[in-house]
Amino acid sequence: MSVPTALRARAGTLRGAVPGWLGRSLRAARAPFPRAAAVRGALAVSVPLMVGLLAGHPVAGVVVGLGGLWAVGQDSAAPYKARALRIAALGGSAAVGLLAGATALRYGDAVVIAALLAVAGLVSGWVSVGGPLASVAGMHLLLGATVGTGIPVPGPWWAGPLELLGGALFALTLTCLPWLWRRHSPEREAVIAVFDAAERALSRAGTSGATEARARMTLALNTAQDLLAVHSSRKHAERPTSIGGLITAFRASVQLVEAVTALMVEGRPLPPAVVRVPSLLAARVVPPVRAGRPAPDASGPVPDREPEPPFTADTPGLRALAEVYRAPGRSLTLLPDPPAYAGPRLADRLRFALLLGGCTLAAAVVAYLLHGPRGYWLPMTVAFLYKPDLGPVFGRALNRCLGTVAGVGMVAVVAWLVTDQWALTLVAAVFGAVMAAGVRYHYALSTFGLTVIVFVFIDFLGDDRQLLPSRVLETVIAAALVLTAHFLTRPDSWRVRAELRVAAADRAWRRYDRRAPAASPDERHQLRRTAYRRLAEARQALDTAGAEPHRDPDRFPVLERRVARAEQGCDAITAYVVAGGRR
């Protein structure tokens, strides 16, 4: 047996020995390296530190850098308007939390500080379940309060909150600056990704990879729908602007995906002339990216002669693809509506508020016993960890511990090699980039970068470096508190969430099956979009649930089979309608 074969066999044996839920917790995301995010992370942390040193106010530089650090950690590839709202909500809530925490630290004792953190945890938990924007605001309200109660900020009462908010606004400026020359680039890239995914799906038609390729095509269309939903009003859709052109391209991609799905159900390999059709369509319908440049007016006069497809349309799927090729998106008025969001129940709000408030109070008490007034790390870690909407709680706890251990090891190396504060700003820049990239790749990697940056902040504050090794113990304690609260109160939460999503997917595809044959094109595409979106949400819920320890391992494959059957049913009704089926 060759060495590579032996290594692959050994790796396969190790993977087989690791429980499935543990492997999913440790799995990294597949994504291209986010160069722009890494640059923003480096600048958002290091520039405030440099300015603070030059001005002779290093503590103020740390507070501003902290605001930039949190903002970069919550950035995403969403449209610029959504990113601006997210960072603004983060900065405002963190500043309010810091003001409350600093006030308790200045004028209260240990009991007042613990009570303030418990209240902040209650409010954070109540707010956090209100949606993605509320989740970010709630978490950073609690983070601001924990930092305010653990780090004395010199100057008047308003200085610290304004510095923290200034750091978030600096990161916001770095994030939104490219808007000036690439205004709708995230939306455009998302639409192009749909055409690319459709081409990959066509290339895998009739092969064992067809199912996975169809699923990736659905996810790409979901992403494009979400990013364009903020622009989906009629005034945007009907104007000859870049965003109007992107909405027209989205409509074409909706039709394209339906035709591609039908071709994949036909189950035969396709010639290159068919496979490259999505690329040809994208070149025709996706508008240029430069801000202010008008897009092609899809509502203008129709050419005298429609372009002929470069293939022979001899099956229902190919005929549907030929129709899209001739007039992409022209017959649809469908808008990229946002996904429906059902607000949280009162019981869910109250349960999470009490759990997060209780965990924060327990963390504050343990931290005070360990470190006195400098015990901000423990409650801050609880605030980061107890976020079920951001992924499996067990996975976040495990990766937080791994990242902290690795970060403290790197801190030992940095402390041995670097003592000058100017050199430390360069260290902060490097690991600010690592943290920002880690947000897209793996939670442990982002925690690793964060831990080293905290070391730099501690050095600027003149705090005790000897506290850093104990941060590993505190991280483990915080993880134990969160996991105990989570699994004692809702041990079957993974199953409940997954079953609810699977049931919603079942209802959506059966509604599509029942209504699609007699529906108008707009209604049919809306039914299909809803069905496939619910199926993707069910898949995501199952993936999240699979990363949690569970007591009923046999239940998980049953739910996966239900989703697979529903996907097959959706594909079958799509092919039936494309073939002209009517009831």
Side-chain angles (χ1 to χ4, degrees):
M1 181 183 293
S2 65
V3 174
T5 303
L7 290 175
R8 283 195 296 270
R10 181 73 58 84
T13 303
L14 290 175
R15 282 195 298 270
V18 175
W21 55 267
L22 181 58
R24 291 180 178 178
S25 297
L26 298 172
R27 188 171 56 197
R30 297 178 182 177
F33 182 76
R35 293 189 298 270
V39 171
R40 287 194 298 271
L43 294 177
V45 175
S46 61
V47 170
L49 295 180
M50 292 180 181
V51 173
L53 282 178
L54 288 172
H57 298 287
V59 176
V62 168
V63 179
V64 175
L66 184 62
L69 178 71
W70 285 348
V72 168
Q74 289 297 321
D75 198 10
S76 65
Y80 288 108
K81 179 180 178 181
R83 294 161 78 178
L85 288 174
R86 188 179 181 90
I87 294 176
L90 174 156
S93 60
V96 171
L98 182 66
L99 176 60
T103 302
L105 182 63
R106 289 188 183 195
Y107 303 110
D109 54 14
V111 175
V112 172
I113 290 174
L116 181 277
L117 289 176
V119 171
L122 285 168
V123 174
S124 174
W126 184 270
V127 170
S128 290
V129 295
L133 192 63
S135 175
V136 169
M139 179 173 74
H140 286 84
L141 174 73
L142 180 54
L143 288 174
T146 59
V147 170
T149 58
I151 300 177
V153 179
W157 62 269
W158 45 264
L162 281 183
E163 289 161 0
L164 190 68
L165 181 60
L169 294 178
F170 175 57
L172 174 62
T173 302
L174 294 175
T175 296
C176 294
L177 190 62
W179 177 87
L180 296 174
W181 61 86
R182 51 198 303 266
R183 185 168 303 173
H184 299 304
S185 180
E187 296 94 325
R188 184 177 185 273
E189 290 171 2
V191 172
I192 290 177
V194 181
F195 289 90
D196 291 342
E199 185 162 325
R200 286 193 295 271
L202 289 175
S203 69
R204 286 164 176 75
T207 70
S208 59
T211 300
E212 182 182 356
R214 203 275 307 146
R216 291 185 179 277
M217 183 174 63
T218 297
L219 290 176
L221 192 55
N222 289 346
T223 301
Q225 181 178 358
D226 292 346
L227 295 190
L228 285 169
V230 69
H231 310 290
S232 63
S233 67
R234 295 284 172 186
K235 66 178 182 179
H236 287 300
E238 304 306 328
R239 288 178 178 174
T241 60
S242 286
I243 200 62
L246 286 172
I247 291 175
T248 299
F250 170 81
R251 292 168 176 165
S253 71
V254 169
Q255 292 177 312
L256 173 66
V257 166
E258 182 181 60
V260 171
T261 302
L263 283 168
M264 299 185 79
V265 172
E266 291 177 2
R268 63 172 186 172
L270 298 168
V274 174
V275 171
R276 67 171 179 264
V277 164
S279 293
L280 298 175
L281 278 173
R284 284 168 52 198
V285 302
V286 178
V289 71
R290 280 187 290 168
R293 181 174 174 180
D297 186 359
S299 62
V302 180
D304 293 335
R305 185 172 181 177
E306 293 176 334
E308 285 302 315
F311 56 85
T312 302
D314 55 0
T315 71
L318 289 174
R319 284 193 291 271
L321 187 64
E323 290 176 10
V324 180
Y325 185 83
R326 292 189 184 102
R330 197 179 300 279
S331 62
L332 280 184
T333 58
L334 180 73
L335 292 176
D337 296 327
Y341 173 71
R345 297 179 302 172
L346 179 62
D348 292 331
R349 277 187 180 274
L350 185 59
R351 181 188 296 110
F352 187 61
L354 291 173
L355 287 174
L356 185 56
C359 287
T360 305
L361 177 60
V365 172
V366 174
Y368 187 81
L369 294 175
L370 288 174
H371 300 300
R374 292 182 296 180
Y376 56 87
W377 187 271
L378 238 168
M380 185 174 68
T381 304
V382 166
F384 275 119
L385 286 181
Y386 208 0
K387 297 294 294 176
D389 59 311
L390 297 182
V393 175
F394 179 86
R396 288 178 67 79
L398 174 63
N399 287 304
R400 186 86 187 181
C401 292
L402 293 175
T404 302
V405 170
V408 169
M410 180 56 68
V411 162
V413 175
V414 171
W416 179 53
L417 295 175
V418 181
T419 56
D420 180 71
Q421 285 190 322
W422 285 102
L424 283 175
T425 60
L426 298 179
V427 172
V430 170
F431 286 94
V434 170
M435 191 219 68
V439 169
R440 310 290 177 93
Y441 280 117
H442 203 284
Y443 188 53
L445 182 61
S446 66
T447 302
F448 168 68
L450 176 68
T451 303
V452 180
I453 295 170
V454 168
F455 160 75
V456 175
F457 286 173
I458 287 175
D459 194 86
F460 272 65
L461 293 171
D463 211 338
D464 190 354
R465 288 188 179 186
Q466 300 305 315
L467 285 176
L468 261 173
S470 69
R471 299 312 186 196
V472 176
L473 174 62
E474 293 174 70
T475 301
V476 172
I477 293 172
L481 286 173
V482 167
L483 292 176
T484 300
H486 184 65
F487 287 110
L488 281 183
T489 58
R490 301 196 73 188
D492 60 346
S493 60
W494 75 271
R495 179 180 58 80
V496 173
R497 289 194 301 270
E499 287 186 342
L500 288 174
R501 293 288 188 272
V502 172
D506 268 335
R507 291 192 298 271
W509 96 259
R510 293 184 189 282
R511 185 166 54 248
Y512 173 48
D513 181 34
R514 188 172 60 253
R515 298 182 183 177
S520 66
D522 278 356
E523 185 183 1
R524 185 180 79 241
H525 285 296
Q526 189 64 60
L527 288 167
R528 184 172 56 81
R529 281 276 58 242
T530 301
Y532 279 108
R533 175 178 282 280
R534 295 293 172 263
L535 285 166
E537 290 170 353
R539 282 284 183 197
Q540 184 179 17
L542 288 171
D543 193 56
T544 300
E548 296 271 26
H550 43 78
R551 300 179 300 177
D552 188 9
D554 295 333
R555 184 64 177 156
F556 194 74
V558 171
L559 294 174
E560 285 188 321
R561 286 194 293 271
R562 281 178 61 186
V563 174
R565 284 195 298 269
E567 288 173 339
Q568 292 168 2
C570 271
D571 292 347
I573 190 61
T574 297
Y576 175 77
V577 172
V578 165
R582 291 289 183 270
R583 291 177 185 162

